[in-house]
Amino acid sequence: MKKILFCITAISGLLTVAACSSNEDIVKDTEKPVISETGITANPVDCQTYKRGDVIPFQYLFTDNEELGSYNIEIHNNFDHHTHGTSKTECPLDNEKTATNAWVFNKDYTIPAKSTTYKGRVDIPIPTDKEPGDYHFMIRVTDMTGNQQIKAMAIKIQ
């Protein structure tokens, strides 16, 4: 009986300690991943021009202090001259206009598990039937804890 009472007391004590323990000892990753051009020929870059029917050969390097998760590529029109505030380069813009058949591209890509460095490389075909003009090419990279970095470039489709 003493053994049972001792076991119950010991288990209760361990459960109490576990329930009251703090997550303060756990260090949360708060560092954003990096979108880099280091050591590669990054593409696209601000102010590049592409033709309908061509391919945008996307290539950027992603790094993170712990573990990368995924990346997303989005392309949308900039016919109204809005900004995303990630670039200091100013590219010449066409006159503002209302979109009638603008190109929209939005796709997620997985990064292999446990990667801290990854070279994203995707060929993106430009539809021939979409409206030419000013576009934004946006890259979002997210690490495994949800930290995100964004890079937006102004490109032109002719």
Side-chain angles (χ1 to χ4, degrees):
M1 185 67 157
K2 287 182 182 181
K3 284 184 180 181
I4 293 174
L5 187 57
F6 175 77
C7 287
I8 290 173
T9 304
I11 290 171
S12 296
L14 286 173
L15 289 174
T16 301
V17 169
C20 295
S21 67
S22 163
N23 286 338
E24 291 176 14
D25 295 336
I26 299 172
V27 178
K28 186 173 186 307
D29 177 16
T30 58
E31 192 173 320
K32 290 181 178 185
V34 175
I35 301 169
S36 175
E37 302 175 16
T38 306
I40 62 168
T41 303
N43 197 69
V45 294
D46 272 317
C47 308
Q48 280 186 307
T49 299
Y50 299 92
K51 292 181 180 171
R52 292 180 290 175
D54 284 353
V55 168
I56 298 174
F58 168 79
Q59 181 169 270
Y60 271 86
L61 184 67
F62 307 127
T63 59
D64 188 63
N65 62 318
E66 291 192 14
E67 184 178 0
L68 292 162
S70 63
Y71 67 102
N72 170 276
I73 297 174
E74 177 190 344
I75 303 168
H76 63 265
N77 78 73
N78 185 25
F79 299 166
D80 63 356
H81 299 175
H82 68 275
T83 65
H84 293 281
T86 67
S87 176
K88 295 176 183 162
T89 305
E90 291 191 30
C91 305
L93 298 172
D94 295 343
N95 292 329
E96 288 188 31
K97 64 181 180 179
T98 302
T100 56
N101 188 26
W103 181 30
V104 176
F105 180 90
N106 193 336
K107 189 168 180 182
D108 295 321
Y109 300 89
T110 355
I111 295 174
K114 308 293 183 203
S115 298
T116 57
T117 300
Y118 183 77
K119 182 167 58 172
R121 173 80 178 86
V122 180
D123 286 332
I124 303 169
I126 303 168
T128 57
D129 63 340
K130 297 301 178 183
E131 195 169 359
D134 298 308
Y135 283 83
H136 281 147
F137 190 106
M138 298 188 62
I139 307 164
R140 292 176 184 88
V141 62
T142 307
D143 69 14
M144 288 305 286
T145 57
N147 300 310
Q148 186 179 80
Q149 186 63 265
I150 298 172
K151 181 175 181 72
M153 287 138 305
I155 64 170
K156 193 174 294 287
I157 306 295
Q158 296 180 330

